Amino acid sequence: MKHLKEFDKFIHKKSDEIDLNKNVWLYTRVSSKDQYVNQSLENQKKYGIEYCVKNEYILSKTFGETYESARGDFTRREFKSLIESVKRSRRRPFAILLYKMSRFSRTGGHAISLATELIEVLGVHLIEVSSGKSTLTERGKLEIYERLLKAREENIERLEMTVPGMTSFVENGNWLGRVPRGYDHFGPRVKDTTKISGEQKIVINGEGKILKEAWKKKALGSKDSEILIFLREKGVNFTKQALSRMWRKPFYCGIIVHNMLGEKVVKGNHQTLVSQKDFLKINRDLERNKKGYDSSNDEENLPLNNFVRSLDCGTSYSGYCVRKKGLYYYKNNRTGSRENIRAEKLHESFVDLLMEIELDKAIDADLLALAIRDKIQDIYKVDVESQELVKKRVLEIDSRLTSLKRKYMVLDLISKEDYDLFKAELDQEKAQLLKDSENSISEFSNLQEIISKGVRISQNMSILWLKSGFQLKKALQNVIFPEGILFDFKNKVSRTQRVNEIFQLNYSISMSYCKKPKRTSLKFETCPVIVAGGGLESHRRPGSDLRAHNLTSFDNLNFWDGCEYRLKQQKKANFSS
């Protein structure tokens, strides 16, 4: 067999370059203040450091170190900061360390989806310090996913024990959560240690006394702009939007509306800033539109309403019509701003931006079609075993729902309120699991047809937007720019920092294959697609999860059919003229 050695040169050998990334980040969390005080966080950090020393990792960043409930993922400030830092970082960590997977998340299906994005898209692994389990192997991924599902199950079981007591607590006129501005919250589980007491007590503070005067002014008919000036003079800073929200909170008149109560309302035990009579009068007045112009989210002539934000301050622009002149404008919603622009001027700027990312007609459309197909297949690749795990969990939820129904309808062990609450929790988790499991390339049975239509539209986006009706304009702009656009009022230019991955390919290909000059309004957060040799390679970049960029609209044939219909109508019109 020695002669076979001559074929060794044809073996595709792995690169000798070793991945030297030994940097890891640590995330610690506890659910309550009690755990925070009893040094649980210090223990999590201690074990994390010991794990790094044992495995020769470099602990470069630490997140968390506070108490935050894991019932929702992006309601946790530190957790959100961790995920955003991973996405923004040019040199990402090799892994994120957690003492237990329940510290990462207790949301079940959503947690698995988020973990999959970290591992498959961003290349960042998860390591459970207490057990040594990690996502470095396929078997390890399944074990981590199972732990995330188990954490969700534990959370539901805990809710089944605690929710009835919490509901009773609110029904007795108490408050759960953060109190609105103008109040101090004293109780057994508050964050401010100086306000810990045996019983809950919500009292008006110094700011609340000033807000009480604001309520009186509003009841007498004062405008919000006048009240904002009054508040600033008293040293209380409020935005126009925050003040508008305050007028609509029944809490200020002593009424508690809480999701724990369902459709019920109860009288609170706290002090009030306004009478119930004045509160209802103010809200009746708010329902009447007394402005000198019409403002509408569905105005045919204002498709960019609240889609455009100021480059300087980030505040959105809303559209309106001056009745006397019959003219449409967009204005900056920031209090005191004088930025107003004619609607057609802003529309022209937006069309210029669309022309920037149109596929140049001199380029072979097949090139973009190949790039789109490669991108979709790359990112919608779903682990079959992971899908099986999700299906298994769905069956478990169905079993729990059946058991829950039996306890309520047959054995009479739980009340209707508890049954409805627990059923809603399980239904929500099941819906999330099913939604996550649908994100597979196998669902795209008509992928080639979608891509063909998408490529033709990519060459005519500016014309298409101009000639379409309101609904199609909104759909098109939301697909192309999932996070809206920015408007530079000084230079009257539209800009963007985020474009749907599919349409970003247009820009990248045009830049690589054409000499067409491009202005600098497209400041991508990521590097452009690399084009090499006779083909196009689509490389993953930070934040490249297409699902996060509204690509779900890309598989909607009705959307593309509507676009194609408009293009054909325009082609006929051009031929006739």
Side-chain angles (χ1 to χ4, degrees):
M1 302 295 290
K2 290 184 179 180
H3 67 281
L4 294 179
K5 290 290 184 181
E6 298 180 21
F7 292 91
D8 286 353
K9 62 183 178 180
F10 297 102
I11 298 175
H12 296 287
K13 297 180 180 180
K14 294 182 179 179
S15 173
D16 293 333
E17 184 181 350
I18 301 174
D19 185 2
L20 299 178
N21 184 9
K22 304 292 286 185
N23 288 297
V24 295
W25 293 356
L26 175 66
Y27 176 69
T28 60
R29 178 189 66 81
V30 291
S31 302
S32 67
K33 192 175 188 64
D34 295 336
Q35 293 175 312
Y36 181 80
V37 173
N38 69 15
Q39 297 186 327
S40 176
L41 284 171
E42 283 80 355
N43 290 332
Q44 291 182 39
K45 190 171 183 179
K46 172 190 170 185
Y47 293 130
I49 293 173
E50 290 177 354
Y51 187 89
C52 289
V53 173
K54 181 180 178 181
N55 294 275
E56 299 182 347
Y57 288 129
I58 300 170
L59 182 58
S60 54
K61 284 187 182 181
T62 301
F63 293 83
E65 300 187 273
T66 187
Y67 56 98
E68 294 179 319
S69 172
R71 187 170 184 180
D73 288 333
F74 291 103
T75 58
R76 290 181 277 156
R77 184 176 300 175
E78 279 294 308
F79 183 79
K80 184 178 179 182
S81 175
L82 167 69
I83 300 302
E84 289 179 348
S85 296
V86 170
K87 291 181 178 181
R88 289 196 307 264
S89 179
R90 290 188 177 181
R91 180 170 174 78
R92 300 194 185 96
F94 171 72
I96 297 171
L97 304 184
L98 306 108
Y99 180 69
K100 282 187 175 293
M101 274 302 118
S102 60
R103 302 302 88 195
F104 180 76
S105 175
R106 288 185 180 273
T107 57
H110 185 266
I112 291 177
S113 177
L114 187 57
T116 302
E117 179 183 0
L118 285 171
I119 300 161
E120 305 294 346
V121 179
L122 302 176
V124 179
H125 290 282
L126 298 178
I127 299 177
E128 187 178 65
V129 172
S130 62
S131 65
K133 302 292 184 183
S134 71
T135 59
L136 295 174
T137 64
E138 292 302 313
R139 177 58 57 187
K141 289 179 191 176
L142 290 178
E143 291 175 339
I144 292 297
Y145 294 160
E146 286 175 347
R147 278 167 161 72
L148 290 173
L149 288 176
K150 183 64 177 176
R152 178 59 177 167
E153 184 176 7
E154 291 172 354
N155 206 41
I156 291 176
E157 291 175 349
R158 189 180 293 115
L159 284 172
E160 290 175 351
M161 299 293 293
T162 60
V163 167
M166 294 165 64
T167 303
S168 177
F169 182 75
V170 178
E171 286 176 340
N172 290 329
N174 298 298
W175 182 255
L176 280 176
R178 186 178 179 181
V179 294
R181 288 184 65 171
Y183 289 93
D184 283 334
H185 186 184
F186 296 85
R189 300 175 70 86
V190 295
K191 288 189 176 182
D192 188 345
T193 55
T194 64
K195 297 176 181 177
I196 294 178
S197 66
E199 295 182 358
Q200 183 179 94
K201 189 177 181 181
I202 299 174
V203 298
I204 299 171
N205 56 25
E207 184 179 76
K209 293 176 181 178
I210 298 172
L211 293 180
K212 192 169 186 176
E213 293 298 317
W215 277 100
K216 288 180 181 178
K217 291 179 177 292
K218 186 65 176 177
L220 293 173
S222 295
K223 296 179 180 179
D224 281 9
S225 57
E226 297 170 348
I227 295 174
L228 285 170
I229 294 172
F230 162 76
L231 291 174
R232 290 195 186 98
E233 290 175 348
K234 295 290 184 178
V236 178
N237 291 319
F238 253 83
T239 63
K240 181 175 69 173
Q241 292 79 9
L243 188 64
S244 177
R245 289 193 296 269
M246 187 181 79
W247 303 139
R248 294 166 171 83
K249 289 183 179 178
F251 185 92
Y252 287 101
C253 71
I255 299 297
I256 291 181
V257 178
H258 200 283
N259 56 8
M260 299 296 298
L261 299 171
E263 298 181 359
K264 292 196 302 184
V265 297
V266 299
K267 189 178 184 304
N269 300 323
H270 58 279
Q271 300 172 338
T272 64
L273 297 187
V274 60
S275 68
Q276 294 180 18
K277 180 180 178 181
D278 284 345
F279 178 85
L280 294 173
K281 174 184 177 298
I282 289 169
N283 276 270
R284 281 194 295 267
D285 291 341
L286 289 172
E287 292 174 0
R288 303 187 186 98
N289 186 1
K290 296 182 180 180
K291 297 181 179 180
Y293 56 83
D294 294 327
S295 180
S296 172
N297 288 331
D298 297 321
E299 176 57 63
E300 286 285 338
N301 297 287
L302 300 168
L304 299 180
N305 191 30
N306 293 319
F307 181 76
V308 180
R309 291 176 289 113
S310 169
L311 180 67
D312 295 327
C313 64
T315 309
S316 63
Y317 280 76
S318 62
Y320 65 95
C321 174
V322 178
R323 292 170 179 166
K324 292 182 179 179
K325 298 181 181 179
L327 298 176
Y328 292 92
Y329 291 84
Y330 291 96
K331 66 183 179 69
N332 189 323
N333 288 325
R334 188 181 76 249
T335 303
S337 173
R338 296 186 177 181
E339 292 184 10
N340 285 269
I341 183 170
R342 287 275 295 273
E344 59 255 39
K345 292 293 184 182
L346 185 56
H347 294 169
E348 288 175 7
S349 175
F350 180 69
V351 169
D352 287 343
L353 189 61
L354 287 174
M355 293 175 69
E356 280 297 294
I357 59 171
E358 280 184 350
L359 183 67
D360 195 294
K361 291 182 173 62
I363 296 175
D364 184 359
D366 291 341
L367 187 66
L368 179 61
L370 288 172
I372 292 175
R373 187 175 185 84
D374 181 62
K375 175 64 68 176
I376 295 176
Q377 289 177 332
D378 184 38
I379 293 190
Y380 275 81
K381 182 170 53 183
V382 176
D383 184 4
V384 175
E385 291 186 349
S386 177
Q387 290 290 306
E388 289 299 322
L389 185 62
V390 171
K391 291 178 182 178
K392 179 181 176 182
R393 179 57 183 165
V394 169
L395 290 175
E396 290 176 0
I397 292 175
D398 287 337
S399 177
R400 287 178 66 86
L401 284 169
T402 302
S403 175
L404 188 66
K405 186 176 181 180
R406 185 169 178 268
K407 289 178 181 179
Y408 166 58
M409 300 188 71
V410 180
L411 303 178
D412 197 25
L413 294 177
I414 58 175
S415 66
K416 185 178 186 305
E417 290 78 11
D418 290 344
Y419 169 75
D420 291 339
L421 180 65
F422 301 146
K423 182 178 183 298
E425 283 278 346
L426 292 168
D427 285 340
Q428 182 181 359
E429 183 184 0
K430 179 180 177 180
Q432 184 65 50
L433 285 167
L434 292 174
K435 180 180 177 182
D436 294 339
S437 67
E438 288 174 358
N439 290 326
S440 170
I441 191 65
S442 61
E443 299 295 327
F444 288 86
S445 58
N446 47 13
L447 179 60
Q448 191 57 49
E449 183 182 358
I450 297 169
I451 291 175
S452 298
K453 295 186 179 206
V455 169
R456 289 194 290 273
I457 292 161
S458 292
Q459 296 176 321
N460 300 276
M461 286 187 291
S462 57
I463 298 269
L464 176 60
W465 189 87
L466 280 170
K467 301 298 181 182
S468 296
F470 175 78
Q471 294 298 335
L472 191 54
K473 280 181 178 175
K474 293 286 285 187
L476 188 65
Q477 66 200 36
N478 286 331
V479 169
I480 300 173
F481 305 109
E483 297 179 6
I485 64 169
L486 302 175
F487 184 65
D488 182 351
F489 185 78
K490 182 178 179 181
N491 298 308
K492 303 295 186 292
V493 174
S494 295
R495 302 180 184 276
T496 186
Q497 290 183 318
R498 183 65 65 87
V499 180
N500 187 306
E501 294 282 344
I502 295 302
F503 298 103
Q504 187 176 331
L505 289 171
N506 295 346
Y507 183 84
S508 302
I509 295 173
S510 296
M511 287 289 289
S512 300
Y513 283 85
C514 295
K515 297 181 180 180
K516 178 181 177 181
K518 299 282 182 181
R519 57 187 176 92
T520 59
S521 58
L522 296 176
K523 297 181 179 179
F524 296 123
E525 293 180 359
T526 55
C527 301
V529 177
I530 298 173
V531 182
L536 181 144
E537 289 184 32
S538 175
H539 291 262
R540 283 180 176 164
R541 302 179 298 281
S544 64
D545 186 351
L546 299 189
R547 283 160 285 184
H549 289 221
N550 278 358
L551 188 62
T552 49
S553 299
F554 196 78
D555 64 346
N556 186 342
L557 273 179
N558 291 333
F559 169 74
W560 296 117
D561 287 342
C563 292
E564 280 222 316
Y565 174 77
R566 281 292 176 189
L567 288 176
K568 290 176 181 177
Q569 292 294 103
Q570 181 60 28
K571 187 175 181 180
K572 288 180 180 179
N574 293 340
F575 180 78
S576 300
S577 61

